[in-house]
């Protein structure tokens, strides 16, 4: 949903439902890389709301178009990361979410899952994880 002025299309606030810091911070980062953006920030009105407000002010281009371009760039970045994993590890992988804090990572020869396991061993924020033969559940 866009909240903006009918007379000034270069500044708008966009509300994204069912989103949180994960997407909002990525979108903010991508928008701030765009030279057409004068200001970009986001807020979450209340911690119990799954809603993010993203404010975009541009040098004159319509804020809606600049946001659309940023989302397309972010999509391309994510596709690049995924294809880089496939090239580096020689395997495809999939992630299956079973619970908000639990997911399974499946790959053909555990190369990617082993890398994730090694990172988890070094992360003090991770309380525990369960390693299973055919997948890693965290």
């Amino acid at each position: 949903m866009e909240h903006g002025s009918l007379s000034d299309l270069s500044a708008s606030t966009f509300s994204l439902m069912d989103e949180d810091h994960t997407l909002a911070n990525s979108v903010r980062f991508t928008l701030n890389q765009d030279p057409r953006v004068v200001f970009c920030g986001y807020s979450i009105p209340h911690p119990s709301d799954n809603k993010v407000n993203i404010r975009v002010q541009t040098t004159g281009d319509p804020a809606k178009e600049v946001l659309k371009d940023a989302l397309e760039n972010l999509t391309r970045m994510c596709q690049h990361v995924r294809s880089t994993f496939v090239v580096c590890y020689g395997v495809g992988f999939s992630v299956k979410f079973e619970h908000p804090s639990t997911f399974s990572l499946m790959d053909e020869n555990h190369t990617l899952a082993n890398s994730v396991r090694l990172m988890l061993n070094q992360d003090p924020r991770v309380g525990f994880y369960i390693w299973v033969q055919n997948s890693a559940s965290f």
Side-chain angles (χ1 to χ4, degrees), residues 71-87 93:
L71 292 171
E72 289 171 355
N73 288 339
L74 184 58
T75 299
R76 280 194 293 277
M77 281 188 257
C78 291
Q79 290 168 342
H80 174 72
V81 168
R82 184 179 181 93
S83 65
T84 301
F85 264 103
V86 171
V87 169
F93 65 93

Side-chain angles (χ1 to χ4, degrees), residues 1-44:
M1 178 183 299
E2 181 179 5
H3 310 281
S5 169
L6 294 175
S7 60
D8 183 13
L9 300 177
S10 67
S12 289
T13 300
F14 302 89
S15 294
L16 306 176
M17 304 306 293
D18 296 325
E19 295 299 341
D20 59 14
H21 292 285
T22 305
L23 179 66
N25 198 37
S26 299
V27 171
R28 181 198 55 80
F29 174 82
T30 306
L31 280 164
N32 281 324
Q33 303 303 309
D34 192 324
R36 299 175 294 173
V37 174
V38 174
F39 172 81
C40 175
Y42 77 90
S43 65
I44 295 181

Side-chain angles (χ1 to χ4, degrees), residues 94-108:
S94 62
V95 176
K96 181 176 84 176
F97 289 91
E98 296 149 357
H99 183 271
S101 62
T102 304
F103 66 92
S104 294
L105 180 65
M106 289 77 66
D107 67 4
E108 293 173 7

